[in-house]
Each structure stands twice: as structure tokens, then as C-alpha cells.
Amino acid sequence: MPSPLDQAQDVLSYPFAIGPLGTPPETIAWARKHRPVCPISLPSGTRAWMVTNKDDIGLVLTDKRFSRDLTYSGAPRFVGEDFTAVPGGLFNLDPPDHTRVRRVIGHFYTRTGVERFRPLVERHATQLLDAMAGGDNPADLMQAYSTQLPLHSSCDMLQVPVDFREQYLAYFHTQTNYQATAEEVAQATAKILDFSRDIIALKRKHPGHADPIGALIEARTQGLIDEDELVGTVCYLFVTGSEPLIPPLSTGVLTLLEHRPQLQQCIDDPTLWPKAIEEVLRYHHNGVLGLPRVATEDVALKDTLIRRGEAVCATMLGVTWDPKYYKHPAKFDIHRSTDGTATFGAGPHFCLGSALVRMFLEVAYRMLFARFPSLTLAVPASEIPWEKNILFIRPVSLPIAW
């Protein structure tokens, strides 16, 4: 018998057009108001339920009846066999396995733990800003800073030569490209797994690394995790290590430039940067639609029955722009009493790197605008081109001048 999802009418096609200057698609607000549990079609043709308000999303993220284990044949995918198909990765484990593996590396990502990485982020920021100051003016911030600082910092944190990782960047991009074919995505996944295995083999030859990958290798040696969990979680660290940081370091910078009085307050009083970061994180999630979860049994949500085996996607922009919890959500205001925590999710899969993101952005914003306090857009904001078919919300280029 066809399920309600198969029979649903007026199914929305994803991806949605983003709003002005990287703001959420208008589709999300429409769905929250008119159809809070809404049927959508992913680029692969797979159907899923999209959940769009904070209360319902909180339930999906915390209720064990919704699983992130998508490693089985026929599981829902955005395009093809991407990183959600990799067995053993933190993305794809449910408790108690997820808890056990996360515990191995969790101490690197606590608020205290990430401070060991602050000097290296500052060092890379200094080098990039020096190069920017000595280069062309105007410049493209994407090429000069927004893509480079996450990449170099992530490689340093994981103690991986940046030149080695640059060889694989095209495969990481394919993973998140909605215009790629299923075959291209599957091939990219295989290449990233090969890359992860190569890094593990290299580090096994030279043990004793005090970094997350070294900790995972040691846990494997002690029998605390298995080989799939080692390889899958190393893959997870590479997939999440730099690309998700590019949107707040590009779209976020654009939003700050478009709200110059608030930006100037931060330049004049750097103690305000943490508040600005919280509002950037609330105002912009790095993507539109969260990774699918699958119902392990029938679940009633609002007036919709989600059948066992059906996919559910939560949009974190549905949370952080929910007017029930955020007054005038379309207003960018660094002085809000709320913070950006909700953008990192909830439940067992609450973002491992939330403290790292905050530390990274504090360094990145503070040093950028300390070095270039007069930084401005080199073109009208309306002329900035946007990526249209990738997982992340970010500009193609961000022309700036100083």
C-alpha cells in the first residue's frame, strides 16, 4: 500500500531559491505557516517530510524514533551515495555507538579544548591577511580569506599537510553539489574514503599525534572502536572540518558589512564580537536543509503520520527564524538576548564543533576587521553572485575593497 508520503500532493522540489543576500528561502516561512510538516522531493527524486518549526524540529532531533543510520541500501540521499552512506562515521551512528565513538574525540572540541587551536588559527589568519594587504585592492574575499582560513586551519588541527588535502578538494565539493550525478557523488565518496585511509596509514607509521585522528587511531588499537568507525569518523572530520566554516566567513561577513553601525560597534569594542557571532549563527545557517533522518516506527507529528521508513529533514533556519521564539527574526541584531546555539541542533547529534566554530569566527572576524577596519563591498550587494546548487549558502565571489 502506498504511504501518505508517496501519495502526498503539492510536493515542493528542493533545493529552494535562497532569499536576498543569503537569507533563508521564503519557502521555509511559507511552509511553517501553512504546512509545517511538508512533503518535499530531494534532487535524487526521493521524497521526504520537511519540518519547519522549532518545537517539531526539536522532537525530530531528540526522539530515538528518528535514526541517522542511513548506511543501508536504498536509504534516502540528496543526490547519491554521499557521506551519509559511510558506515561508522559520527554522522551515521545512533546511540550508544555514537556516544562511544564521540567520547574518543569529544575533549578536543569542548570550550576549553578548542583553545589549544586558537594560536594556529591566529597564525594562519595573519599570513592570509598579510598576503591580502600586499595583493590587489579590490580583492575577492572568498579566494583571499574565506575559503583559505578554514582549509589551512583544519589541516593544521588534524596535522595533515594542506597540499595533500588540496588534491581532494574537488571530491569534497562534488559531495555537496546537487547538480552532480549519483555516480559522480558515489565516486567522490570512494575517493574521500581512500584519502581518509591514506591519512590513517601515514599516521600509523608515525604514531603519537596529539590530534583527533591520532586519538581515533589509538582508540582503534585499544579496541574501543572498530575499523569502520575509525575510517568513517576520520572521513567525518574532513567533511566537516573546513567547508561548513566558509558560509559564516563569507555570508556572515557580507551581513556585517550590510549592517555597518553594528559592525562599527564591534570594531570599536572587540568584546562585542561574541554577540555578533551568535547573531550571525542565528541569522544564517551554513545550509538550508538538514541531513535526512528515517523514522524507525510510525510517528504522529502535527496532523501528519510519518510512516516507518520515511525520511524527515529538519531545517535549522526553521528553528532560528521561528517568530514564536525569535522576535522579528528577519532583523539582524547583535544585541538580542537570544544566542545562536539552536543552529547547532539538539540531541545526540548536537554539533561536535560548536565551540570550535565560535572560537574560529571570533579570531577570523576580529583579525579581519582589525587589519582592514574600512573594509567595504567593491560592488553593490545585489550584484554578488550566489552558489545555487550546493549544500551550503555562500557567495561565488565576494568582491571587497579597503
Side-chain angles (χ1 to χ4, degrees):
M1 174 182 291
S3 72
L5 183 55
D6 292 331
Q7 296 176 324
Q9 301 296 310
D10 301 320
V11 178
L12 303 180
S13 294
Y14 185 79
F16 312 133
I18 61 172
L21 304 184
T23 51
E26 295 180 1
T27 304
I28 295 174
W30 176 90
R32 185 192 301 111
K33 182 176 181 180
H34 299 287
R35 204 167 183 183
V37 183
C38 181
I40 61 172
S41 177
L42 301 176
S44 63
T46 298
R47 288 191 175 188
W49 296 106
M50 179 176 70
V51 187
T52 53
N53 69 66
K54 189 174 187 295
D55 294 334
D56 292 339
I57 290 171
L59 186 147
V60 170
L61 299 185
T62 59
D63 194 312
K64 64 181 182 181
R65 294 175 295 176
F66 294 99
S67 172
R68 275 282 289 271
D69 182 2
L70 304 180
T71 58
Y72 59 91
S73 177
R77 310 279 179 221
F78 277 113
V79 176
E81 300 290 294
D82 55 26
F83 48 80
T84 63
V86 175
L90 276 185
F91 270 137
N92 313 322
L93 294 173
D94 293 325
D97 292 330
H98 176 272
T99 308
R100 173 176 48 79
V101 176
R102 182 167 172 146
R103 189 179 296 124
V104 172
I105 55 176
H107 65 282
F108 288 99
Y109 297 96
T110 63
R111 191 172 299 178
T112 301
V114 300
E115 286 301 317
R116 78 186 71 188
F117 301 130
R118 181 181 292 272
L120 69 85
V121 179
E122 292 176 338
R123 183 175 70 253
H124 289 298
T126 297
Q127 293 169 352
L128 292 168
L129 295 172
D130 284 349
M132 191 166 135
D136 294 336
N137 180 11
D140 179 4
L141 193 71
M142 295 297 290
Q143 293 183 6
Y145 194 63
S146 299
T147 61
Q148 296 303 307
L149 185 59
L151 175 64
H152 286 263
S153 298
S154 173
C155 287
D156 211 347
M157 291 174 196
L158 299 176
Q159 298 183 22
V160 173
V162 68
D163 292 344
F164 192 37
R165 188 173 179 187
E166 281 181 334
Q167 301 173 35
Y168 288 82
L169 280 179
Y171 298 120
F172 286 96
H173 296 162
T174 299
Q175 281 264 308
T176 58
N177 187 340
Y178 296 144
Q179 288 190 322
T181 66
E183 291 76 17
E184 289 170 338
V185 171
Q187 182 185 43
T189 301
K191 292 291 187 180
I192 293 170
L193 282 170
D194 288 343
F195 170 69
S196 300
R197 293 187 184 100
D198 289 346
I199 293 296
I200 291 167
L202 182 65
K203 284 179 173 279
R204 277 175 164 158
K205 291 179 181 178
H206 307 281
H209 294 272
D211 67 278
I213 297 176
L216 288 164
I217 292 172
E218 179 61 25
R220 174 69 183 114
T221 300
Q222 296 178 7
L224 300 176
I225 63 175
D226 64 27
E227 193 69 15
D228 278 349
E229 291 165 343
L230 169 60
V231 175
T233 301
V234 170
C235 176
Y236 159 87
L237 291 174
F238 286 124
V239 169
T240 61
S242 60
E243 291 290 309
L245 289 170
I246 296 173
L249 197 49
S250 52
T251 310
V253 169
L254 169 61
T255 297
L256 289 165
L257 291 172
E258 286 295 283
H259 295 83
R260 190 76 204 192
Q262 296 183 65
L263 171 59
Q264 193 62 48
Q265 291 176 33
C266 296
I267 294 172
D268 295 341
D269 180 5
T271 65
L272 289 176
W273 279 121
K275 292 188 68 67
I277 289 162
E278 294 302 314
E279 181 64 351
V280 167
L281 292 172
R282 182 202 69 82
Y283 200 73
H284 298 292
H285 191 64
N286 57 21
V288 174
L289 204 59
L291 299 172
R293 284 169 165 79
V294 170
T296 59
E297 59 184 81
D298 292 358
V299 182
L301 200 59
K302 289 284 190 289
D303 57 355
T304 300
L305 180 63
I306 298 173
R307 299 285 189 183
R308 180 178 181 270
E310 291 181 343
V312 181
C313 292
T315 169
M316 301 317 297
L317 289 168
V319 174
T320 59
W321 281 58
D322 189 335
K324 180 179 176 181
Y325 292 93
Y326 301 92
K327 187 177 181 180
H328 305 304
K331 180 182 179 181
F332 183 83
D333 181 6
I334 69 170
H335 299 291
R336 284 182 183 272
S337 58
T338 54
D339 63 19
T341 299
T343 200
F344 294 113
H349 283 274
F350 182 83
C351 179
L352 175 68
S354 60
L356 178 62
V357 170
R358 287 171 162 128
M359 180 277 290
F360 175 88
L361 291 178
E362 192 279 329
V363 172
Y365 289 167
R366 172 175 50 80
M367 294 187 66
L368 173 65
F369 288 104
R371 187 67 174 273
F372 302 104
S374 64
L375 195 75
T376 187
L377 293 176
V379 298
S382 60
E383 294 182 9
I384 292 171
W386 290 86
E387 300 278 10
K388 295 181 179 180
N389 290 289
I390 65 171
L391 176 66
F392 302 111
I393 302 175
R394 71 191 203 196
V396 175
S397 62
L398 188 57
I400 45 89
W402 57 91

